[in-house]
Every structure is written in structure tokens, then in C-alpha cells.
Amino acid sequence: MTEDAVRLRDVVRFSWEMVSVGTGELAGGGVEFVVLDADGRITADYQFPGL
């Protein structure tokens, strides 16, 4: 699990990891940026896969 979320005004950046349910091995990951509206709802989601 990553715990690196950073928010600057209406943009949040965080890393993510995907693990195998069976083995717990890391299967992938990346960085994601989400843009929020005035109510805190996501209006755009940009994903950049890769470790």
C-alpha cells in the first residue's frame, strides 16, 4: 500500500500498487492524478501505469 497522496487545490496525486490476491506479489502499479470539483467529486482521472 502506498501512502503518498498529495493535494494542491483541486488536484490530487497518488501512487498505487496492484497485488496478486493468491500470492500477494506485486503485479503492477503507477501514479494517478485526479481533478476535483467544488464538491470534492472527481471530474478527471489521469492514470500513468508502470513502476
Side-chain angles (χ1 to χ4, degrees):
M1 180 166 93
T2 64
E3 297 180 10
D4 64 345
V6 177
R7 181 175 181 172
L8 179 61
R9 296 189 182 119
D10 61 346
V11 177
V12 181
R13 180 201 50 86
F14 57 93
S15 300
W16 55 271
E17 296 175 339
M18 179 174 55
V19 297
S20 168
V21 174
T23 66
E25 284 187 55
L26 183 62
V31 177
E32 191 155 348
F33 291 83
V34 293
V35 180
L36 308 174
D37 67 12
D39 294 321
R41 289 181 236 155
I42 296 171
T43 60
D45 182 353
Y46 302 97
Q47 298 176 13
F48 300 91
L51 281 175

